[in-house]
Amino acid sequence: IAFIVAAVVFSFVWGYIAIKPIMTDYVKQKDFINDMSHEIRTPLAVIKGNLENVLASPDSTVSEQSEMLYASLEEVDYMTDISSGLLNIVRGRSASRGKETKMSDVISETVDMVADMATMANKALIANVEYCDLPVDREKIKQLASVLIENAVKYTAEGDRITVRLKNTKDGCVFTVTDTGIGVPKGDLETIFDRFYRAENAKDIPGTGLGLSIAKAIVEGMGGSIKAAANVPCGLEITCVFKNNKSASAANRV
């Protein structure tokens, strides 16, 4: 009897272990569909209303209906941004790895790429990138750095400063982006990485609210951690911590 009970328990445990990845993927797909359907509802309603108004005046010229047509195109662009953002979140969580490169190389490359954007906006972009040979997925880290730096540029005013740091540590490396912009209300720092989160002080600035969710998915998908803190005297600081494989293995053994 004891053997039968043990066999049954083992079967349940083994079955749970085997099905857990499938259930995790199912939940992710369900969340993706729910988020997508919720966020595109309003844009679709706007497009539908505009097209109905255009069709109600069949003799009108394109020029006369241009305002509603342009408004519809803007909603299409918004839906495209949302779908791309949600797909990037799913990809960021994926454990699959593309072309590998050193962390410091891809961070430096991304800073150089975004520097012109900051200069054109009359904002100071300061970079302090230490050499770090941690092997990382080039495209994922490039997207992470782009999201964080472009966000900092976006939510700062002329004359503000964005500071990018990469610090080499014995366990891996720490990537930090700090700005002197509008910041985030203190009570919202815990929810800043939620999908579609938009702070009250950023409602008038165009965006989908997916940038930091993408960043979190990429960092955590690589086994790292990410957190937000208020910068002093103003602005926001995002810190990403990545551990090398040896450190991660040691931590898991502990």
Side-chain angles (χ1 to χ4, degrees):
I1 294 175
F3 176 77
I4 294 174
V5 171
V8 171
V9 172
F10 176 78
S11 297
F12 275 113
V13 172
W14 181 256
Y16 172 77
I17 294 173
I19 201 172
K20 187 177 180 181
I22 299 174
M23 293 302 298
T24 300
D25 288 341
Y26 169 75
V27 170
K28 289 179 181 178
Q29 291 177 6
K30 185 178 179 181
D31 288 344
F32 174 85
I33 293 171
N34 288 340
D35 288 340
M36 189 66 180
S37 61
H38 179 267
E39 288 300 315
I40 67 173
R41 191 175 300 148
T42 299
L44 284 175
V46 172
I47 294 171
K48 182 175 183 292
N50 287 340
L51 292 178
E52 287 174 346
N53 288 332
V54 170
L55 291 173
S57 305
D59 296 329
S60 298
T61 64
V62 172
S63 177
E64 291 171 338
Q65 300 288 3
S66 61
E67 184 175 344
M68 282 184 284
L69 292 174
Y70 279 121
S72 297
L73 285 174
E74 287 180 358
E75 297 299 331
V76 171
D77 289 340
Y78 177 70
M79 288 192 294
T80 301
D81 290 342
I82 287 178
S83 61
S84 297
L86 290 173
L87 285 172
N88 283 329
I89 290 174
V90 174
R91 290 168 183 158
R93 289 173 176 166
S94 171
S96 62
R97 302 189 69 166
K99 181 180 179 181
E100 287 193 349
T101 188
K102 295 181 179 64
M103 172 70 88
S104 52
D105 289 348
V106 68
I107 295 297
S108 296
E109 176 188 332
T110 309
V111 168
D112 291 341
M113 181 182 71
V114 183
D116 288 342
M117 179 191 300
T119 301
M120 290 175 64
N122 195 26
K123 300 170 186 180
L125 177 59
I126 303 167
N128 182 5
V129 180
E130 295 182 4
Y131 176 76
C132 179
D133 62 358
L134 181 71
V136 293
D137 183 310
R138 181 182 181 280
E139 291 306 316
K140 286 184 178 180
I141 293 299
K142 182 178 180 180
Q143 184 175 28
L144 168 68
S146 296
V147 165
L148 297 184
I149 299 172
E150 288 174 8
N151 247 26
V153 173
K154 183 177 182 179
Y155 295 106
T156 48
E158 287 191 19
D160 276 338
R161 183 176 68 254
I162 299 104
T163 305
V164 179
R165 295 187 182 91
L166 181 66
K167 183 178 181 181
N168 189 28
T169 70
K170 63 178 182 179
D171 296 324
C173 56
V174 179
F175 174 51
T176 307
V177 177
T178 309
D179 66 66
T180 56
I182 63 174
V184 175
K186 187 175 181 180
D188 291 351
L189 286 173
E190 295 297 322
T191 57
I192 192 174
F193 299 104
D194 291 351
R195 276 179 295 212
F196 304 114
Y197 165 85
R198 299 299 308 281
E200 286 299 323
N201 59 346
K203 294 293 185 181
D204 295 333
I205 302 175
T208 61
L210 289 174
L212 291 180
S213 295
I214 294 171
K216 181 180 180 182
I218 292 172
V219 174
E220 293 185 347
M222 297 175 66
S225 62
I226 185 170
K227 67 176 182 178
N231 185 34
V232 179
C234 62
L236 183 68
E237 180 177 88
I238 303 292
T239 302
C240 309
V241 178
F242 298 92
K243 292 186 176 181
N244 58 42
N245 292 332
K246 292 181 180 178
S247 299
S249 299
N252 290 334
R253 287 198 297 271
V254 174

